Amino acid sequence: MKNVLIVSGHPELKNNSFANKIIMEDLEKLLPEATFDYLDRLYPDYQINAEAEQAKLAAADIIVLQFPIFWYSMPALLAKWMEDVFVRGFSHGSQGKALVGKKLVLSFTTGAPESAYDAAFPVDALTGRFVQTAGLTGMIYEGYVYTGGVSYADRTDPARAADMTAVSHAHAKRLAEKIASLM
Ligand SMILES: Cc1cc2nc3c(=O)[nH]c(=O)nc-3n(C[C@H](O)[C@H](O)[C@H](O)COP(=O)(O)O)c2cc1C
């Protein structure tokens, strides 16, 4: 059995999330053996415990980053986590081999629909920094699970909210299936 670590990078999962909240709740049920790392609960002040986070990563075989896209990137909380935890001597550098061979899966959502990401800037372009990071740290990049069109603006419209609920549940199912295929 492989150890799965799911890192939730939404900065306000409890009070200001629609899609990521549903996805994480479903994953808790679908993957009861996984370790769930809620950065918003642990680090509301953005003061990351790098040693504790490094220990979780070291124990994992499969690392999943779950987050909403903010400004064509990851939320600041997840970026801060990476900056503090992925340090020379741990993840890279001649002595930094802790992540070598671990599988990396991205799981993210956007407010804009997938159709808004065109040939000039496709959804794949959102993953570039993580693909490069996997390469540098020796992780095996296993691709992503993506859902678009889960917009803040639509949360109060009952029909749109029902659609967003359905695609969020479907996202969690697709992610659980992807993780199962890597076990
Ligand atoms: C600060 C901020 C920046 C955002 N930037 C983008 C963006 O660059 N592209 C996009 O498609 N959606 C963007 N969104 C929308 C979020 O990606 C969307 O609301 C989120 O994926 C939905 O997940 P949630 O319901 O769990 O919050 C942004 C939202 C916020 C709050």
Side-chain angles (χ1 to χ4, degrees), residues 169-180:
H169 287 305
H171 181 120
K173 188 161 174 283
R174 282 189 287 136
L175 178 57
E177 285 165 3
K178 184 169 186 68
I179 292 167

Side-chain angles (χ1 to χ4, degrees), residues 65-76:
L65 302 183
Q66 172 66 51
F67 58 99
I69 292 290
F70 283 3
W71 292 115
Y72 307 98
S73 187
M74 67 188 117

